[in-house]
Amino acid sequence: MNPIATVFRRELRSYFSTPVAYVFIVIFLLLSGALTFYMGGLFERGQADLQAFFSFHPVLYLFLVPAVAMRLWAEERKSGTIELLLTLPITMWQAVLAKFLAAWAFIGIALALTFPVWITVNYLGDPDNGVIVASYLGSLLMAGGFLAIGSCLSAATRNQVVAFILTVVVCFLFMVAGYPLVLDAVGAVLPQGAVDAVSGLSFLTHFSAISKGVIDLRDLIYFVLTIGFWLYANAVVIDLKKAD
């Protein structure tokens, strides 16, 4: 059997073997619903779309995705099971990819369970479902970017709380990189090329474009490269800390 599939199944099954997974999903659904209907004013807006729903996803992911990612490697290192994992007939890259895909699938399941909101707007009006599908894709890709960062930082420490805090901080920086306030500050000391580079690093810049229904290849490449870079860094960190 493919070693990636074996570890993927083991990891995904482990999420649902404890109440933590169900608590995470319930919190995600409650928060996304409350933010959409109360703070986002889904009904008051009078528009059949999910803009209010997806606009809160970056903030939700900023705290919920690191909560999933923090255990990926920190727990393995603390319990000593990482040595057992690495003795299996599986390469470092395969182990990193399998654990990442399992965690990403778990988040994807939580995201998919928000489908009643989609059904609601279709019942109330005539939304552009193409835009909604693109928004779900962008949301999943953004969650993957957050998760890849968290997976790498989880490998750098045995302490899950430290991994959580570091992930929140780094993801926050990737989020706000596209805000005008940040870009103005960068532009005050660096040339325009540097400002464009900083803006291009922002999760929000690329997610906002996809959530408008415009699936630009550059946005997809950004998320793929971001995930790939952090997973590569993840493997490097594990290799460097094998002796710890």
Side-chain angles (χ1 to χ4, degrees):
M1 183 180 292
N2 189 317
I4 294 180
T6 302
V7 176
F8 173 84
R9 289 182 181 178
R10 189 200 73 165
E11 289 291 319
L12 188 58
R13 194 182 305 120
S14 71
Y15 284 105
F16 294 97
S17 63
T18 68
V20 176
Y22 302 99
V23 170
F24 171 87
I25 290 175
V26 169
I27 290 176
F28 176 72
L29 295 178
L30 288 177
L31 285 177
S32 60
L35 291 172
T36 300
F37 288 100
Y38 294 103
M39 293 188 66
L42 181 67
F43 295 133
E44 290 77 4
R45 293 175 69 245
Q47 298 180 21
D49 60 36
L50 288 183
Q51 184 180 346
F53 171 67
F54 287 107
S55 65
F56 291 105
H57 280 204
V59 177
L60 286 174
Y61 290 156
L62 181 61
F63 296 100
L64 295 179
V65 173
V68 174
M70 67 182 185
R71 61 172 290 277
L72 281 178
W73 292 101
E75 186 179 24
E76 299 270 12
R77 294 190 64 214
K78 185 178 180 180
S79 62
T81 54
I82 188 171
E83 287 82 4
L84 177 62
L85 175 64
L86 296 179
T87 58
L88 298 174
I90 184 172
T91 66
M92 181 80 72
W93 253 109
Q94 289 174 326
V96 169
L97 183 61
K99 288 174 72 68
F100 168 79
L101 290 176
W104 201 12
F106 170 67
I107 295 171
I109 291 171
L111 181 61
L113 290 175
T114 62
F115 71 90
V117 182
W118 190 355
I119 294 176
T120 300
V121 294
N122 272 276
Y123 178 75
L124 297 175
D126 185 24
D128 187 336
N129 286 309
V131 173
I132 294 176
V133 171
S135 299
Y136 268 107
L137 173 64
S139 179
L140 186 62
L141 288 171
M142 182 170 60
F146 279 42
L147 183 63
I149 293 173
S151 180
C152 177
L153 296 177
S154 174
T157 176
R158 297 172 185 270
N159 190 315
Q160 294 189 33
V161 176
V162 173
F164 174 83
I165 295 172
L166 288 176
T167 304
V168 170
V169 171
V170 174
C171 289
F172 176 75
L173 294 176
F174 268 85
M175 273 182 56
V176 301
Y179 279 151
L181 183 63
V182 175
L183 297 178
D184 290 343
V186 174
V189 294
L190 295 175
Q192 184 59 39
V195 175
D196 294 339
V198 172
S199 175
L201 290 175
S202 173
F203 281 132
L204 290 182
T205 301
H206 299 279
F207 173 63
S208 297
I210 297 177
S211 64
K212 293 175 183 173
V214 180
I215 300 180
D216 192 315
L217 184 60
R218 289 170 296 183
D219 296 319
L220 300 180
I221 290 175
Y222 164 79
F223 282 113
V224 171
L225 290 180
T226 299
I227 293 172
F229 170 80
W230 284 99
L231 291 184
Y232 175 76
N234 191 164
V236 171
V237 170
I238 294 173
D239 191 47
L240 291 174
K241 287 185 167 289
K242 276 194 300 189
D244 289 357

